[in-house]
Amino acid sequence: MEEKLRQEPSDLIKIVLFGPESTGKTTLAQQLAAHYKTHWVPEYAREYLQKKWDACQKTCEPQDLLPIAVGQIQLENKLGQTAHELLICDTDLLETKVYSEAYYVGHCDPILEKYALQNTYDLYLLTNIDIPWEADDLRDKPNERQKMFAYFKEALEKYHKNFITLSGDKQTRFRKAVEQIDKLRRMNMDLTKQDMEQLASKGIPKEKVLHQIETFKAGIPFVNLEKAAVVGRGISKFTEQEQQDLIEHFELNREHVSLLKFIPASGAASRMFKAMFNFMDAYDPSTETLQAYCERTGDSAVQQFVAGLQNLPFYQQIMERIGGQFKTEGEKAHMFVTEMLTEAGLNYGFFPKGLLPFHNYANGAATPFEEHLKEAALYAKSGGDAKLHFTISEQHDAMFKAEAQRTVPKIGESTHTNFHISYSNQKPSTDTIAVNMDNSPFKNNDGTLLFRPGGHGALIENLNDQDADIIFIKNIDNVVVDDNLPAVANSKKMLAGLLLKVQAKAFEYATKLESASITENEVNVVKSFLENELNASFSTDFDGLNHNDRISQLQNLLNRPIRVCGMVKNEGEPGGGPFYIRNSQDKVSLQIIESAQIDMENAEQQSILKNSTHFNPVDLVCAVRNHKGEKYNLLEFVDSKQGFITEKTKEGKSLKALELPGLWNGAMAFWNTIFVEVPLVTFNPVKTVNDLLKKSHQP
């Protein structure tokens, strides 16, 4: 069956007419095929269902969907063999998936869904409902056109499809469609055979690149802050007794679930030492004193570094290496920094941050890698086993594995834990194309396309590959000394206990919603749970929907991954925070938002930002399975409109780069979200080397 749903490889530009029934798709498909002198692929479902109607006066039933999908793809593959440059498709499997979910209470056959998402097209033409309804034997929802159109549009947005909306009369729609298709044709000509081979080698579909280029052209709008989340409104705060109850709930259930600690660890230490690299290059101890340099430059970072030198975890190691070769404080500081950073010395400036000495104990210095093992033994262990997954840069693979050989046996013995360590690298297929300032693809001097890493948002794919009931997420540089481990562990257990309680309710209600006997009162109970405990937002017309449509909306909101996010009181640290935002569909949701996503020139938005009280420390506990034990496809819950466009330079030329929606920002935008206040002790990131001098990093 699966082979019958697979697209044949093709160099054709494939266009899909997409939208509710009676919106002019077939007419436009015929017009476009005639204009471009190519084939159009009819909607196989009409032929199939018309025969069924003529035979027994029955419309589509669930068992019809797979045969319809098979017939559609076979027709597409056949006509694609003789089409010229373009293939116009009156529909695709994604449209079949939308109808399946709309008509059959959110259900779609897994095989159909797989190929609906896997098969690729270059452009979707979403047909609006602003033309008159034309009845026939098969059309049956004339009064639900607006709702159906919303379903189709949401599907294109959810799965990051390259699409435009066509409105107006036939001539207007045709003209706009031709304009967009001609743009695609020009772009297709711009992508050479070498470019296409490069895309194939990276596993990046052409459709994805074209979508990214359209994103550059359209720009990414700022988010629309509705209000800040605060304690009592978006952020929960528990009493000591409530926290203890949640911890106990986790302890009672931890042996019955699989646990994983997921640690983004690909960050290099170069940024951490930026000020020290500048000092090493700018200061010459033979020409001026250290004090004179600091007074001349106002370099407070160097002053702080030198004043706290003896408290650095690698102080003794470096002093032993440089011996008494210095005569002045300036020479000492410069030699120390040079030994610390350069390849001839310890080369810390080119280490992964996770393998630097962070804490100095009586028995030696500990790296963040080692500190995460200690933490995992306290709250991410089930049945004596603790699983940790580190996302690392490929060039650091050997270094991390060597550190594991050094530390895992030691920490395993002291904590009575069997550690299972795994690693992954950011996938080349998540790299994003760079463009010139006119939005054309940027080419390197050797003629290849320039791709750039997509940022930590690319790691949603790595997270999606993990298999566990409960996943703890914490950055590599946010670790604590041993004295603070119990407080951190209890905070994590508290969050996990809350997650398990909420998830149990969600599973109970998800099962109820599948029952044919569910009552209106039970529907209202589920709605209250979603609103009050999972912070879900409902459409304004929910109360006016019929019973089945209300159930369908409840299922759509309930059957999502859940994240419980710790939030600390804001003490001036830069970065993201918890807010309610309103999207383009006028829906309000609870999100973690970075300052770069906010329009700082908008006084109202600035005011909301200033009224925020809490900060995102990247302290997440996640549940990624549904009530049947099936893993969610996390890529379906990403909001592509929460990425970033930045300006860079390469080989002396200006360019625009695209950063994917952040892992805990837009990449989790459509998760069910709970924010909880956690102690400040849980937040100890090391962004610069001077952060190691803080009291929280001194054993």
Side-chain angles (χ1 to χ4, degrees):
M1 174 61 74
E2 289 205 33
E3 283 300 316
K4 295 179 180 179
L5 292 172
R6 196 187 307 274
Q7 282 178 320
E8 293 293 335
S10 171
D11 292 330
L12 293 169
I13 297 174
K14 291 189 176 183
I15 311 297
V16 180
L17 279 299
F18 194 80
E21 55 193 6
S22 192
T23 54
K25 297 192 296 294
T26 300
T27 300
L28 183 55
Q30 292 171 328
Q31 286 179 302
L32 292 171
H35 177 77
Y36 289 107
K37 297 180 174 55
T38 189
H39 297 317
W40 70 284
V41 183
E43 184 180 6
Y44 179 75
R46 293 201 65 80
E47 175 188 344
Y48 179 97
L49 294 174
Q50 189 66 56
K51 288 179 180 178
K52 179 172 181 175
W53 175 264
D54 293 342
C56 57
Q57 279 69 57
K58 286 186 177 181
T59 56
C60 188
E61 297 174 286
Q63 62 266 28
D64 295 320
L65 295 177
L66 271 180
I68 286 171
V70 168
Q72 189 66 47
I73 289 300
Q74 287 180 339
L75 195 54
E76 179 185 317
N77 287 337
K78 178 182 177 182
L79 291 170
Q81 292 173 4
T82 54
H84 170 65
E85 187 184 359
L86 294 162
L87 185 65
I88 311 298
C89 303
D90 193 4
T91 188
D92 76 334
L93 299 194
L94 183 58
E95 180 153 329
T96 310
K97 169 177 158 63
V98 171
Y99 273 118
S100 176
E101 293 172 342
Y103 277 69
Y104 307 119
V105 200
H107 174 75
C108 180
D109 185 284
I111 297 176
L112 170 58
E113 180 173 54
K114 174 182 176 180
Y115 286 94
L117 302 181
Q118 181 173 302
N119 292 345
T120 61
Y121 301 86
D122 298 285
L123 177 66
Y124 284 79
L125 301 175
L126 175 62
T127 50
N128 211 336
I129 57 173
D130 57 342
I131 59 175
W133 171 273
E134 294 184 13
D136 66 18
D137 293 340
L138 304 178
R139 293 172 178 166
D140 63 350
K141 288 187 180 289
N143 299 319
E144 298 183 19
R145 301 184 79 195
Q146 185 63 54
K147 185 172 73 172
M148 291 302 296
F149 179 78
Y151 282 156
F152 280 94
K153 188 170 186 288
E154 286 173 6
L156 294 174
E157 292 175 336
K158 181 176 182 179
Y159 300 115
H160 321 306
K161 299 301 183 182
N162 186 30
F163 79 96
I164 61 164
T165 302
L166 298 180
S167 303
D169 59 25
K170 291 180 181 179
Q171 291 75 20
T172 302
R173 292 177 178 219
F174 175 74
R175 188 167 55 250
K176 186 174 180 180
V178 168
E179 178 185 316
Q180 293 297 319
I181 292 171
D182 285 347
K183 283 184 182 178
L184 263 182
R185 294 174 72 204
R186 289 193 294 271
M187 181 59 65
N188 205 50
M189 293 174 199
D190 289 342
L191 292 175
T192 65
K193 183 179 179 182
Q194 179 186 357
D195 296 337
M196 297 303 294
E197 289 172 353
Q198 187 180 351
L199 294 183
S201 70
K202 293 178 72 67
I204 300 176
K206 179 182 66 175
E207 176 196 32
K208 191 173 184 178
V209 168
L210 296 176
H211 179 66
Q212 289 174 1
I213 291 173
E214 287 304 311
T215 299
F216 281 116
K217 291 177 181 177
I220 296 177
F222 291 114
V223 297
N224 182 14
L225 300 182
E226 182 79 4
K227 56 193 172 185
V230 296
V231 170
R233 188 188 69 199
I235 301 178
S236 299
K237 183 176 181 179
F238 298 111
T239 65
E240 287 188 16
Q241 184 58 53
E242 289 170 332
Q243 291 180 47
Q244 190 56 43
D245 290 345
L246 291 171
I247 291 169
E248 290 177 5
H249 184 74
F250 174 71
E251 294 288 11
L252 283 171
N253 290 279
R254 69 189 296 174
E255 299 300 323
H256 307 299
V257 292
S258 57
L259 306 174
L260 174 72
K261 189 173 183 185
F262 183 89
I263 305 135
S266 56
S270 51
R271 289 185 187 177
M272 178 177 159
F273 293 113
K274 182 179 178 181
M276 298 304 112
F277 273 114
N278 291 340
F279 169 71
M280 185 174 67
D281 293 338
Y283 177 56
D284 183 353
S286 68
T287 61
E288 67 179 329
T289 65
L290 182 61
Q291 181 178 349
Y293 168 82
C294 291
E295 290 175 355
R296 175 173 62 83
T297 61
D299 195 335
S300 58
V302 168
Q303 288 178 299
Q304 184 183 3
F305 179 81
V306 172
L309 209 60
Q310 295 184 28
N311 293 320
L312 291 169
F314 37 78
Y315 175 77
Q316 289 297 336
Q317 183 182 11
I318 292 180
M319 290 305 295
E320 289 173 5
R321 292 172 70 99
I322 64 176
Q325 301 173 45
F326 51 86
K327 296 178 181 178
T328 66
E329 283 300 304
E331 287 182 349
K332 175 184 175 182
H334 195 267
M335 290 184 69
F336 189 98
V337 170
T338 302
E339 184 67 28
M340 176 176 71
L341 298 180
T342 61
E343 189 174 357
L346 294 176
N347 205 27
Y348 284 167
F350 300 93
F351 263 51
K353 193 187 287 188
L355 301 184
L356 290 172
F358 264 30
H359 301 145
N360 196 25
Y361 300 109
N363 60 349
T367 63
F369 182 94
E370 181 175 337
E371 300 291 27
H372 276 286
L373 295 179
K374 296 178 191 174
E375 278 194 28
L378 292 176
Y379 60 75
K381 180 167 66 174
S382 177
D385 295 321
K387 297 179 181 179
L388 295 89
H389 183 86
F390 294 84
T391 63
I392 62 177
S393 297
E394 190 172 357
Q395 65 265 33
H396 297 146
D397 282 358
M399 295 176 71
F400 271 94
K401 288 171 183 174
E403 176 70 358
Q405 287 184 332
R406 184 184 73 83
T407 57
V408 166
K410 176 180 67 173
I411 305 303
E413 182 178 358
S414 65
T415 62
H416 308 291
T417 304
N418 297 314
F419 288 106
H420 304 271
I421 313 295
S422 59
Y423 308 92
S424 64
N425 309 128
Q426 187 170 313
K427 298 178 181 180
S429 60
T430 64
D431 290 350
T432 58
I433 194 167
V435 298
N436 295 301
M437 302 309 288
D438 65 356
N439 299 313
S440 60
F442 186 99
K443 294 289 185 80
N444 295 306
N445 286 339
D446 63 1
T448 58
L449 294 168
L450 174 62
F451 285 90
R452 297 173 56 86
H456 64 69
L459 299 181
I460 192 68
E461 297 219 15
N462 303 65
L463 183 64
N464 196 41
D465 292 338
Q466 306 313 308
D467 190 9
D469 296 321
I470 301 295
I471 301 177
F472 298 90
I473 301 179
K474 191 177 183 184
N475 275 339
I476 188 68
D477 65 344
N478 183 16
V479 289
V480 298
V481 294
D482 289 353
D483 289 347
N484 293 330
L485 276 175
V488 169
N490 282 337
S491 177
K492 287 284 194 180
K493 292 175 185 177
M494 181 260 292
L495 297 178
L498 175 62
L499 178 61
L500 288 172
K501 278 197 165 186
V502 171
Q503 185 191 54
K505 275 191 187 180
F507 284 0
E508 176 190 345
Y509 293 146
T511 303
K512 275 187 180 179
L513 289 173
E514 293 178 343
S515 168
S517 60
I518 187 169
T519 66
E520 277 300 312
N521 183 58
E522 289 173 322
V523 165
N524 290 330
V525 169
V526 177
K527 180 175 184 285
S528 178
F529 166 73
L530 278 161
E531 286 179 319
N532 298 325
E533 297 191 47
L534 288 179
N535 299 293
S537 175
F538 286 81
S539 63
T540 54
D541 66 344
F542 180 82
D543 292 334
L545 299 176
N546 63 42
H547 183 70
N548 286 339
D549 285 343
R550 280 157 60 91
I551 288 174
S552 181
Q553 190 170 143
L554 288 172
Q555 288 180 314
N556 178 52
L557 290 169
L558 191 62
N559 294 323
R560 300 182 177 197
I562 305 172
R563 57 175 178 164
V564 179
C565 311
M567 293 290 157
V568 296
K569 288 182 178 178
N570 195 334
E571 299 207 342
E573 292 283 352
F579 294 91
Y580 290 91
I581 70 166
R582 186 178 295 274
N583 69 12
S584 57
Q585 282 79 47
D586 211 33
K587 290 183 179 179
V588 175
S589 62
L590 203 53
Q591 302 287 342
I592 297 170
I593 299 298
E594 302 289 338
S595 56
Q597 296 176 268
I598 302 169
D599 184 358
M600 293 301 185
E601 295 183 3
N602 183 311
E604 181 183 359
Q605 297 288 287
Q606 255 196 22
S607 176
I608 294 172
L609 177 62
K610 288 178 181 176
N611 288 328
S612 63
T613 57
H614 286 69
F615 178 82
N616 164 43
V618 188
D619 188 3
L620 291 79
V621 188
C622 306
V624 296
R625 296 191 195 280
N626 65 18
H627 61 293
K628 298 176 182 178
E630 301 162 334
K631 277 178 74 259
Y632 289 110
N633 178 6
L634 303 184
L635 306 184
E636 295 181 8
F637 301 91
V638 177
D639 183 357
S640 61
K641 291 184 172 60
Q642 286 195 41
F644 303 90
I645 294 175
T646 57
E647 292 189 13
K648 307 283 185 182
T649 58
K650 170 79 171 178
E651 297 169 344
K653 296 183 288 186
S654 296
L655 60 87
K656 289 194 283 188
L658 177 64
E659 193 166 309
L660 298 173
L663 179 58
W664 39 84
N665 309 107
M668 294 182 174
F670 299 124
W671 291 41
N672 284 322
T673 297
I674 302 169
F675 292 152
V676 179
E677 183 177 286
V678 294
L680 195 58
V681 69
T682 62
F683 184 53
N684 299 280
V686 177
K687 302 305 180 188
T688 75
V689 65
N690 285 342
D691 287 332
L692 292 174
L693 301 175
K694 292 179 179 178
K695 185 178 179 181
S696 58
H697 287 290
Q698 299 298 311

